[in-house]
Amino acid sequence: MAPFSVRMPVPPVLRPIAQLPDADVYELAIRQIEAEILPGVRTPVLTYGNHFVAPTIRAKSARRTLITFRNHLQAASNVHLHGGHVPAASDGHPMDLIHPGGARLYSYPNRQQGATLWYHDHSHHTEAEHVFRGLHGAYLLEDDSERHLGLPDGEYDIPILLRDAAFDESGALVFAEPEYRTTLLANGKPSPYFPVAARKYRLRLLNVSTHRDFTLSLGGVEMTQIATDGGLLPAPVPRTTLLISPGERIEIVVDFSRHPLGTQLLLADTTGPVLRFDVVRRARDNSRVPDRLRELPALPEATATREVVLGFGFVGDVPMGLINGRPFDPNRIDAKIKLGTTEIWRITNGDVQYQVPHNFHTHLVQFRVLDRDGNPPLPGETGRKDTVHIRPGESVRVQATFGDYTGRFMYHCHLLEHSQMGMMAQMEITR
């Protein structure tokens, strides 16, 4: 199909079925349907709420979200709120499954600053294929303390979920090797266009692919990064290229008023076009990007350090994903951490020989990137993060405080083919 022949949709916002004094209540079905990804072709997909891409949940900071997921698939599933600071029972541990015909209530306190989060399947050994086939959606946590900043909002605040895909001759998705996934999707459509007004937009970019990095540019046009995984940066950062590994989020503001009506701006990856913005109309714009966004508190003193090495190896004759030389075992605790303590972890990508990329994601906590091989963090990494890209042979030091909740939580490579091969470990937060 020709690129830019379909319009990029904006995922619908999920409406609560009830509102309590301190909580919004939702329900979502997990179901297989047929969706039109390629024009005129019906493709079997897995969905939350019968939508590909899943509905966006707009939550309020300090107001709980209660959401029941009902599994209508023939396979077990579950849900992880990626970037959420939530109790262990609602974290979507890979072994906490929703079996076919079952349901599970997840409680999200939302006691964290505003940020672009996302929800996705995390069922052990099937998370990569389930996410690839459609089980992913945006969860936008809105923070009233941002309102005075004047950032673009409403219809000018757009989540854009990026991923790759492969199809067979019938139009069915093929869960093939990542190098064969050559079709790039933005909000579930291949290389779409999106009409914009000549004004500023807040674009929330989410990499929901299971394996692919995106290196994005607007043909040299400046993009102003305002936020990363855990919310607003201390100050805006001008960027002309963006690297987003699986699971990461980057928020940018693009001022389309700098371009005449009729301009077409191409958001492209190094391998091809992703999305075209068409400047088609004028609009009033009272939004702004202030010089200061959100102050970061001083880091507390760390009381422990840990070494974490990601890599591939063999267990007997079986190739496995490993953390510190061991594959995931749900019956083993790899790190015991006292509630409320602060730790520094050095995460190393040990796959130098084969030049395999990895990234690192922690459940429960946001962390701060301290350095990369002793050098300062990359541009846009100075805020709170939960997922970080690590090149072969590189070491990244991060610092986190493990507060509020006890229980079992995961840390793993978020290239999901790697995690489901065993590149996961388990921490237990204790009193």
Side-chain angles (χ1 to χ4, degrees):
M1 61 170 290
F4 320 123
S5 58
V6 295
R7 176 174 174 152
M8 184 188 76
V10 177
V13 175
L14 188 65
R15 300 302 177 191
I17 61 170
Q19 291 185 300
L20 305 178
D22 67 337
D24 295 315
V25 183
Y26 300 89
E27 282 193 2
L28 274 177
I30 307 172
R31 180 177 283 126
Q32 180 172 316
I33 67 168
E34 290 188 345
E36 186 175 300
I37 302 174
L38 306 174
V41 177
R42 305 300 294 177
T43 298
V45 293
L46 305 183
T47 67
Y48 295 122
N50 301 323
H51 286 278
F52 183 86
V53 173
T56 296
I57 299 172
R58 284 190 175 265
K60 301 290 186 183
S61 185
R63 180 175 173 82
R64 289 186 303 150
T65 296
L66 302 174
I67 181 164
T68 298
F69 288 88
R70 301 187 182 278
N71 185 6
H72 298 275
L73 304 179
Q74 298 301 309
S77 181
N78 76 354
V79 185
H80 169 55
L81 179 59
H82 185 122
H85 185 61
V86 306
S90 292
D91 189 54
H93 186 283
M95 309 307 293
D96 291 342
L97 299 174
I98 310 171
H99 293 285
R104 188 181 184 102
L105 172 66
Y106 293 81
S107 176
Y108 302 142
N110 298 322
R111 290 191 299 178
Q112 59 191 102
Q113 70 178 34
T116 298
L117 313 180
W118 63 298
Y119 61 104
H120 63 82
D121 183 278
H122 210 312
S123 52
H124 190 33
H125 290 314
T126 52
E127 66 263 41
E129 185 165 2
H130 283 182
V131 172
F132 175 81
R133 296 195 180 278
L135 293 184
H136 52 259
Y139 186 102
L140 308 184
L141 186 55
E142 299 176 339
D143 188 341
D144 285 342
S145 67
E146 291 184 13
R147 293 187 182 280
H148 74 282
L149 297 175
L151 296 167
D153 61 4
E155 65 179 300
Y156 306 108
D157 178 0
I158 309 293
I160 303 176
L161 284 68
L162 304 173
R163 55 161 295 178
D164 53 3
F167 299 88
D168 66 15
E169 291 182 357
S170 73
L173 285 165
V174 179
F175 186 57
E177 294 297 322
E179 59 265 30
Y180 296 113
R181 302 174 193 170
T182 55
T183 301
L184 305 183
L185 305 180
N187 284 350
K189 296 297 183 181
S191 302
Y193 69 90
F194 187 66
V196 295
R199 54 152 292 153
K200 290 184 285 296
Y201 279 73
R202 181 178 186 170
L203 305 175
R204 301 174 185 251
L205 305 175
L206 296 78
N207 185 346
V208 301
S209 65
T210 66
H211 197 274
R212 182 193 187 92
D213 294 337
F214 281 88
T215 302
L216 301 172
S217 68
L218 268 176
V221 171
E222 182 176 284
M223 303 171 282
T224 303
Q225 183 178 351
I226 60 169
T228 185
D229 306 334
L232 293 177
L233 295 168
V237 179
R239 309 288 301 275
T240 54
T241 61
L242 303 169
L243 171 64
I244 313 179
S245 68
E248 287 189 291
R249 289 86 69 205
I250 292 179
E251 296 185 35
I252 58 173
V253 171
V254 176
D255 189 353
F256 293 104
S257 71
R258 297 175 179 176
H259 307 279
L261 295 185
T263 298
Q264 297 176 333
L265 293 175
L266 180 61
L267 182 69
D269 180 57
T270 52
T271 61
V274 175
L275 168 63
R276 193 183 72 194
F277 295 102
D278 296 348
V279 185
V280 298
R281 63 185 176 89
R282 303 188 189 281
R284 173 178 289 185
D285 187 7
N286 295 321
S287 68
R288 65 191 185 101
V289 179
D291 292 336
R292 303 300 302 175
L293 295 169
R294 187 190 295 271
E295 295 299 325
L296 285 173
L299 289 169
E301 183 178 354
T303 56
T305 60
R306 297 183 191 270
E307 299 284 336
V308 177
V309 180
L310 309 176
F312 283 105
F314 286 86
V315 176
D317 295 329
V318 180
M320 300 285 286
L322 309 173
I323 291 184
N324 289 346
R326 298 195 289 183
F328 173 60
D329 180 348
N331 298 312
R332 185 187 70 234
I333 300 299
D334 300 279
K336 284 198 171 185
I337 301 170
K338 285 289 187 182
L339 183 69
T341 58
T342 298
E343 297 193 356
I344 292 174
W345 292 19
R346 184 170 69 172
I347 306 106
T348 300
N349 180 342
D351 279 318
V352 179
Q353 180 179 359
Y354 301 107
Q355 292 294 294
V356 177
H358 294 302
N359 69 9
F360 179 77
H361 170 57
T362 53
H363 292 209
L364 177 65
V365 294
Q366 301 281 343
F367 53 72
R368 302 264 290 275
V369 177
L370 301 180
D371 57 58
R372 290 178 171 271
D373 287 338
N375 299 312
L378 298 176
E381 287 188 333
T382 55
R384 293 182 172 96
K385 287 185 62 60
D386 55 60
T387 309
V388 63
H389 181 266
I390 308 174
R391 297 181 293 256
E394 186 178 35
S395 292
V396 176
R397 288 196 314 142
V398 304
Q399 180 167 332
T401 299
F402 298 84
D404 293 337
Y405 304 117
T406 59
R408 299 176 306 160
F409 297 90
M410 306 303 301
Y411 55 98
H412 58 91
C413 179
H414 213 279
L415 280 67
L416 295 181
E417 282 84 352
H418 297 181
S419 64
Q420 75 176 23
M421 288 178 63
M423 201 175 292
M424 295 195 297
Q426 197 165 217
M427 57 185 173
E428 183 176 20
I429 314 302
T430 62
R431 294 192 182 277

